[in-house]
């Protein structure tokens, strides 16, 4: 059986989905415990939210070496090293004595998880382009979609008999299982080869306005979702009085909406170009953000707030499959480095925005709402400025590839 044959089976798709899921799992599982964590470590809400930021920045920066290394040495070896780092970092998070050390360990955890994320995306691009790649990315979402659905629910249940440290022990165990699975069954999709120097390669990629444009749109929409992720535990639990378990249910409903959108995208991309579907997702993110800001400013109540958040999160399901497919289309020779550019922008912007959602402590929803609205509108403006070149091969193939 060839590597390509193995890649077409169910196990590689599950492994790819697991790798993509590690990032949201690392971020989401302990969210219901953020207020408890702040009390246990005697830290302010903004300081605790830095642990979210540290993980996101680690996920961003870790992709910069991960991409070129996987281009030069193949996908498997860098992947296994990254998963090992992620596992060890999870154990260190579980024994962190204070908020400062937890921030450091979370950054290390993010860097390890970055290898799995960028290599999963690059492995898809090794074999697919255009609409076909968008369909594969969509097919990964049911697997990776279980992560945001189950993570906050599982984390909330763990808090019934354990504490936030127990959540991190669970993450380390799951990462170790993923490492074992990849060591046993992850197929190599790229042979080791000599490639141009990393600095030169990134300079060349950064000159591609199409790659950068789609990367910025993807990053802004992703950051809007993470402003919600960072701010919602305090907004929903402190301001609106939800329990950790109730918050987990709300988070799961939003994640189900995101997963449903990605599944719809996998079918719609057979009829509509990925760019059209991406535009619909960006429009939904902007509209939901504006609605959220209006709800908060007018004090319209909990249910309108939850509705606006649902629209924001669900819209991401049309962005995440299509933006990478369009951004990576012309970069098969350096798919790892191109995926790293995409992921670096995504998680760096998300990490920088996350603390803004708690800028007013736990007493106001306005910082979160303002951040979500501003990011959604910025994504819409960027998308409108990113016009396809008439008759380009990229957009013809993205529309017609099956």
């Amino acid at each position: 059986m060839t590597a390509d044959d193995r890649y077409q089976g169910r196990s590689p798709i599950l492994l790819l989905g697991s790798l993509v899921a590690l990032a949201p799992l690392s971020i989401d599982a302990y969210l219901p415990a953020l207020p408890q964590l702040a009390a246990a470590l005697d830290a302010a809400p903004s300081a605790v939210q830095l642990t979210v930021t540290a993980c996101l920045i680690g996920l961003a920066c870790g992709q910069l070496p991960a991409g070129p290394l996987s281009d030069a040495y193949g996908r498997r070896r860098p992947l296994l090293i990254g998963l090992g780092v992620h596992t060890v970092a999870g154990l260190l998070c579980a024994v962190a004595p204070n908020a400062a050390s937890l921030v450091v360990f979370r950054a290390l955890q993010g860097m390890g998880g970055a290898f799995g994320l960028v290599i999963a995306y690059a492995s898809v691009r090794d074999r697919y382009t255009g609409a076909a790649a968008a369909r594969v990315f969509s097919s990964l979402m049911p697997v990776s979609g279980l992560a945001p659905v189950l993570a906050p629910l599982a984390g909330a249940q763990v808090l019934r008999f354990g504490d936030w440290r127990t959540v991190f022990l669970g993450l380390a165990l799951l990462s170790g299982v993923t490492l074992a699975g990849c060591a046993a069954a992850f197929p190599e999709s790229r042979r080791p080869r000599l490639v141009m120097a990393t600095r030169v390669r990134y300079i060349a990629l950064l000159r591609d306005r199409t790659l950068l444009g789609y990367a910025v749109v993807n990053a802004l929409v992703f950051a809007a979702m993470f402003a919600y992720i960072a701010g919602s535990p305090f907004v929903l639990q402190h301001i609106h009085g939800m329990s950790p378990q109730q918050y987990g249910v709300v988070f799961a409903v939003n994640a189900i909406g995101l997963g449903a959108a990605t599944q719809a995208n996998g079918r719609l991309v057979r009829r509509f170009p990925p760019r059209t579907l991406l535009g619909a997702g960006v429009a939904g993110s902007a509209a939901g953000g504006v609605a959220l800001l209006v709800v908060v400013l007018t004090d319209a109540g909990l249910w309108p707030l939850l509705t606006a958040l649902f629209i924001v999160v669900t819209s991401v399901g049309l962005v995440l499959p299509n933006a990478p497919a369009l951004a990576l289309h012309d970069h098969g020779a350096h798919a790892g480095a191109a995926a790293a550019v995409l992921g670096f922008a995504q998680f760096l912007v998300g990490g920088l925005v996350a603390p803004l959602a708690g800028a007013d402590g736990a007493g106001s929803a306005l910082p979160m709402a303002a951040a979500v609205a501003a990011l959604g509108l910025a994504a819409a403006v960027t998308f409108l400025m990113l016009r396809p070149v008439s008759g380009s091969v990229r957009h013809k193939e993205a529309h017609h590839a099956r």
Side-chain angles (χ1 to χ4, degrees):
M1 179 180 292
T2 67
D4 283 343
D5 291 335
R6 291 169 61 205
Y7 193 87
Q8 298 296 331
R10 188 175 299 273
S11 294
I13 292 295
L14 290 174
L15 287 174
L16 286 172
S18 298
L19 294 174
V20 175
L22 276 180
L25 276 172
S26 299
I27 297 163
D28 298 345
Y30 84 129
L31 288 180
L34 283 182
Q36 180 196 98
L37 192 156
L41 298 182
D42 192 24
S46 59
V48 171
Q49 285 168 336
L50 281 177
T51 65
V52 179
T53 301
C55 186
L56 290 171
I57 292 177
L59 282 165
C61 295
Q63 293 185 62
L64 295 179
L69 286 172
S70 70
D71 284 340
Y73 298 104
R75 308 303 183 199
R76 275 180 57 86
R77 282 186 290 175
L79 172 63
L80 298 180
I81 292 172
L83 289 175
V85 171
H86 188 274
T87 302
V88 172
L91 295 174
L92 292 174
C93 288
V95 298
N98 51 53
S101 60
L102 182 59
V103 167
V104 174
F105 297 149
R106 287 283 286 163
L108 185 63
Q109 187 179 41
M111 293 186 69
F115 277 72
L117 189 64
V118 72
I119 290 172
Y121 275 53
S123 296
V124 173
R125 178 56 187 85
D126 286 340
R127 290 176 170 81
Y128 304 102
T129 62
R135 289 201 302 273
V136 175
F137 284 125
S138 293
S139 73
L140 294 178
M141 292 303 168
V143 181
S144 61
L146 291 175
V149 172
L150 297 179
L153 290 174
Q157 296 306 314
V158 167
L159 295 178
R160 291 181 177 273
F161 62 87
D163 59 10
W164 62 272
R165 298 182 188 274
T166 312
V167 176
F168 281 113
L169 287 174
L171 286 173
L173 175 62
L174 185 59
S175 180
V177 171
T178 303
L179 171 60
C182 288
F186 190 82
E188 181 60 75
S189 61
R190 179 187 176 93
R191 293 180 180 179
R193 66 188 71 179
L194 292 176
V195 294
M196 71 175 73
T198 298
R199 180 178 62 84
V200 176
R201 189 179 324 125
Y202 278 129
I203 290 174
L205 290 172
L206 292 175
R207 289 174 177 168
D208 185 337
R209 293 185 179 182
T210 300
L211 168 63
L212 291 183
Y214 286 123
V216 169
V217 169
N218 185 71
L220 290 170
V221 172
F222 187 83
M225 183 177 68
F226 269 92
Y228 146 73
I229 288 174
S232 61
F234 297 97
V235 170
L236 296 180
Q237 293 184 59
H238 282 181
I239 297 177
H240 292 280
M242 286 187 170
S243 68
Q245 290 72 34
Q246 289 172 325
Y247 169 76
V249 171
V250 169
F251 202 92
V253 169
N254 288 336
I256 290 171
L258 188 155
T262 61
Q263 286 303 286
N265 182 82
R267 295 178 174 85
L268 291 172
V269 79
R270 298 177 182 274
R271 299 178 56 191
F272 302 99
R275 179 181 166 86
T276 299
L277 297 172
L278 174 61
V282 171
S285 178
V290 171
L292 176 65
L293 183 59
V294 171
V295 166
V296 171
L297 289 174
T298 59
D299 196 19
L302 177 60
W303 284 106
L305 177 74
L306 295 178
T307 301
L309 289 174
F310 181 82
I311 294 171
V312 169
V313 177
T314 299
S315 299
V316 178
L318 294 178
V319 175
L320 293 185
N322 295 301
L326 292 166
L328 302 181
H329 186 276
D330 286 345
H331 299 286
H334 307 293
V341 171
L342 187 78
F344 175 79
Q346 176 174 307
F347 286 101
L348 179 65
V349 176
L352 293 175
V353 166
L356 300 179
D360 195 30
S364 173
L366 183 58
M368 180 190 74
V372 171
L375 290 162
L377 290 172
V381 171
T382 304
F383 178 80
L384 291 175
M385 294 174 62
L386 182 62
R387 299 186 182 278
V389 178
S390 178
S392 74
V393 173
R394 172 188 293 109
H395 294 283
K396 286 183 178 179
E397 288 186 2
H399 178 46
H400 295 295
R402 294 292 182 263

Short mmCIF file of all heavy atoms in Angstrom, two decimals, residues 116-140:
data_model
loop_
_atom_site.label_atom_id
_atom_site.label_comp_id
_atom_site.label_asym_id
_atom_site.label_seq_id
_atom_site.Cartn_x
_atom_site.Cartn_y
_atom_site.Cartn_z
N GLY A 116 1.57 20.66 14.79
CA GLY A 116 0.46 19.84 14.31
C GLY A 116 -0.46 20.59 13.38
O GLY A 116 -0.90 20.06 12.35
N LEU A 117 -0.73 21.84 13.71
CA LEU A 117 -1.66 22.63 12.91
C LEU A 117 -1.12 22.93 11.52
O LEU A 117 -1.77 22.68 10.51
CB LEU A 117 -1.98 23.93 13.65
CG LEU A 117 -3.10 24.79 13.07
CD1 LEU A 117 -4.43 24.04 13.15
CD2 LEU A 117 -3.21 26.10 13.84
N VAL A 118 0.10 23.44 11.45
CA VAL A 118 0.66 23.84 10.16
C VAL A 118 0.93 22.61 9.29
O VAL A 118 0.72 22.64 8.06
CB VAL A 118 1.93 24.68 10.33
CG1 VAL A 118 3.11 23.86 10.81
CG2 VAL A 118 2.29 25.40 9.04
N ILE A 119 1.36 21.50 9.88
CA ILE A 119 1.65 20.31 9.09
C ILE A 119 0.37 19.66 8.60
O ILE A 119 0.32 19.10 7.50
CB ILE A 119 2.52 19.34 9.91
CG1 ILE A 119 3.92 19.95 10.08
CG2 ILE A 119 2.62 17.97 9.25
CD1 ILE A 119 4.83 19.19 11.02
N ALA A 120 -0.71 19.74 9.37
CA ALA A 120 -1.99 19.22 8.88
C ALA A 120 -2.44 19.99 7.64
O ALA A 120 -2.86 19.40 6.64
CB ALA A 120 -3.05 19.32 9.99
N TYR A 121 -2.35 21.32 7.68
CA TYR A 121 -2.75 22.13 6.53
C TYR A 121 -1.84 21.87 5.34
O TYR A 121 -2.30 21.75 4.20
CB TYR A 121 -2.71 23.62 6.91
CG TYR A 121 -3.97 24.11 7.58
CD1 TYR A 121 -4.49 23.48 8.70
CD2 TYR A 121 -4.63 25.23 7.10
CE1 TYR A 121 -5.64 23.93 9.31
CE2 TYR A 121 -5.79 25.70 7.72
CZ TYR A 121 -6.28 25.04 8.82
OH TYR A 121 -7.43 25.49 9.42
N ALA A 122 -0.52 21.81 5.60
CA ALA A 122 0.41 21.58 4.50
C ALA A 122 0.20 20.20 3.88
O ALA A 122 0.34 20.04 2.66
CB ALA A 122 1.85 21.71 5.01
N SER A 123 -0.15 19.21 4.68
CA SER A 123 -0.37 17.86 4.16
C SER A 123 -1.56 17.82 3.21
O SER A 123 -1.55 17.10 2.21
CB SER A 123 -0.59 16.87 5.31
OG SER A 123 0.56 16.76 6.12
N VAL A 124 -2.60 18.61 3.52
CA VAL A 124 -3.74 18.69 2.61
C VAL A 124 -3.30 19.33 1.30
O VAL A 124 -3.63 18.85 0.21
CB VAL A 124 -4.89 19.49 3.25
CG1 VAL A 124 -6.00 19.72 2.23
CG2 VAL A 124 -5.44 18.73 4.46
N ARG A 125 -2.54 20.43 1.38
CA ARG A 125 -2.10 21.11 0.16
C ARG A 125 -1.14 20.25 -0.66
O ARG A 125 -1.02 20.42 -1.87
CB ARG A 125 -1.46 22.45 0.51
CG ARG A 125 -0.91 23.22 -0.71
CD ARG A 125 -2.01 23.45 -1.75
NE ARG A 125 -1.49 24.02 -2.98
CZ ARG A 125 -0.97 23.33 -3.98
NH1 ARG A 125 -0.83 22.01 -3.89
NH2 ARG A 125 -0.55 23.94 -5.08
N ASP A 126 -0.44 19.32 -0.03
CA ASP A 126 0.44 18.43 -0.77
C ASP A 126 -0.31 17.65 -1.84
O ASP A 126 0.28 17.21 -2.83
CB ASP A 126 1.12 17.43 0.18
CG ASP A 126 2.21 18.08 1.02
OD1 ASP A 126 2.71 19.15 0.62
OD2 ASP A 126 2.55 17.51 2.08
N ARG A 127 -1.63 17.48 -1.65
CA ARG A 127 -2.39 16.63 -2.56
C ARG A 127 -3.59 17.30 -3.22
O ARG A 127 -4.13 16.77 -4.19
CB ARG A 127 -2.87 15.38 -1.82
CG ARG A 127 -1.71 14.44 -1.49
CD ARG A 127 -2.21 13.26 -0.67
NE ARG A 127 -1.17 12.26 -0.56
CZ ARG A 127 -0.16 12.31 0.32
NH1 ARG A 127 -0.09 13.33 1.15
NH2 ARG A 127 0.76 11.37 0.36
N TYR A 128 -4.06 18.43 -2.68
CA TYR A 128 -5.29 19.02 -3.21
C TYR A 128 -5.11 20.51 -3.42
O TYR A 128 -4.33 21.18 -2.74
CB TYR A 128 -6.46 18.78 -2.25
CG TYR A 128 -6.71 17.34 -1.92
CD1 TYR A 128 -6.30 16.81 -0.71
CD2 TYR A 128 -7.37 16.50 -2.83
CE1 TYR A 128 -6.52 15.47 -0.40
CE2 TYR A 128 -7.60 15.17 -2.52
CZ TYR A 128 -7.17 14.66 -1.31
OH TYR A 128 -7.38 13.35 -1.01
N THR A 129 -5.90 21.08 -4.37
CA THR A 129 -5.94 22.52 -4.60
C THR A 129 -7.38 22.96 -4.82
O THR A 129 -8.27 22.13 -5.03
CB THR A 129 -5.12 22.92 -5.84
OG1 THR A 129 -5.68 22.28 -7.00
CG2 THR A 129 -3.66 22.52 -5.69
N GLY A 130 -7.60 24.29 -4.78
CA GLY A 130 -8.89 24.87 -5.14
C GLY A 130 -10.07 24.32 -4.35
O GLY A 130 -10.01 24.13 -3.14
N ALA A 131 -11.16 24.08 -5.07
CA ALA A 131 -12.39 23.61 -4.43
C ALA A 131 -12.19 22.24 -3.79
O ALA A 131 -12.80 21.94 -2.76
CB ALA A 131 -13.52 23.54 -5.46
N ALA A 132 -11.32 21.40 -4.39
CA ALA A 132 -11.05 20.09 -3.80
C ALA A 132 -10.41 20.26 -2.42
O ALA A 132 -10.76 19.56 -1.47
CB ALA A 132 -10.14 19.28 -4.72
N ALA A 133 -9.46 21.20 -2.30
CA ALA A 133 -8.85 21.46 -1.00
C ALA A 133 -9.88 22.01 -0.02
O ALA A 133 -9.89 21.64 1.16
CB ALA A 133 -7.69 22.44 -1.16
N ALA A 134 -10.76 22.88 -0.48
CA ALA A 134 -11.80 23.43 0.40
C ALA A 134 -12.69 22.33 0.93
O ALA A 134 -13.12 22.36 2.09
CB ALA A 134 -12.62 24.48 -0.35
N ARG A 135 -13.00 21.32 0.08
CA ARG A 135 -13.84 20.21 0.54
C ARG A 135 -13.11 19.37 1.58
O ARG A 135 -13.71 18.91 2.55
CB ARG A 135 -14.26 19.35 -0.64
CG ARG A 135 -15.28 20.00 -1.57
CD ARG A 135 -16.03 18.96 -2.40
NE ARG A 135 -15.11 18.15 -3.20
CZ ARG A 135 -14.67 18.48 -4.42
NH1 ARG A 135 -15.05 19.64 -4.95
NH2 ARG A 135 -13.87 17.69 -5.08
N VAL A 136 -11.79 19.16 1.38
CA VAL A 136 -11.04 18.39 2.37
C VAL A 136 -10.98 19.14 3.70
O VAL A 136 -11.18 18.56 4.77
CB VAL A 136 -9.63 18.07 1.86
CG1 VAL A 136 -8.81 17.38 2.96
CG2 VAL A 136 -9.69 17.18 0.63
N PHE A 137 -10.73 20.45 3.63
CA PHE A 137 -10.72 21.23 4.86
C PHE A 137 -12.08 21.16 5.56
O PHE A 137 -12.17 21.09 6.78
CB PHE A 137 -10.34 22.69 4.57
CG PHE A 137 -8.87 22.90 4.32
CD1 PHE A 137 -8.44 23.52 3.16
CD2 PHE A 137 -7.93 22.49 5.23
CE1 PHE A 137 -7.09 23.72 2.92
CE2 PHE A 137 -6.58 22.68 5.01
CZ PHE A 137 -6.15 23.31 3.84
N SER A 138 -13.15 21.18 4.77
CA SER A 138 -14.48 21.07 5.36
C SER A 138 -14.69 19.70 5.99
O SER A 138 -15.35 19.58 7.03
CB SER A 138 -15.55 21.30 4.27
OG SER A 138 -15.52 22.64 3.81
N SER A 139 -14.14 18.65 5.36
CA SER A 139 -14.31 17.30 5.90
C SER A 139 -13.57 17.12 7.21
O SER A 139 -13.92 16.24 8.01
CB SER A 139 -13.84 16.26 4.89
OG SER A 139 -12.42 16.24 4.79
N LEU A 140 -12.55 17.95 7.45
CA LEU A 140 -11.82 17.88 8.72
C LEU A 140 -12.62 18.48 9.86
O LEU A 140 -12.40 18.13 11.02
CB LEU A 140 -10.49 18.61 8.60
CG LEU A 140 -9.44 18.03 7.66
CD1 LEU A 140 -8.21 18.91 7.62
CD2 LEU A 140 -9.08 16.61 8.07
#
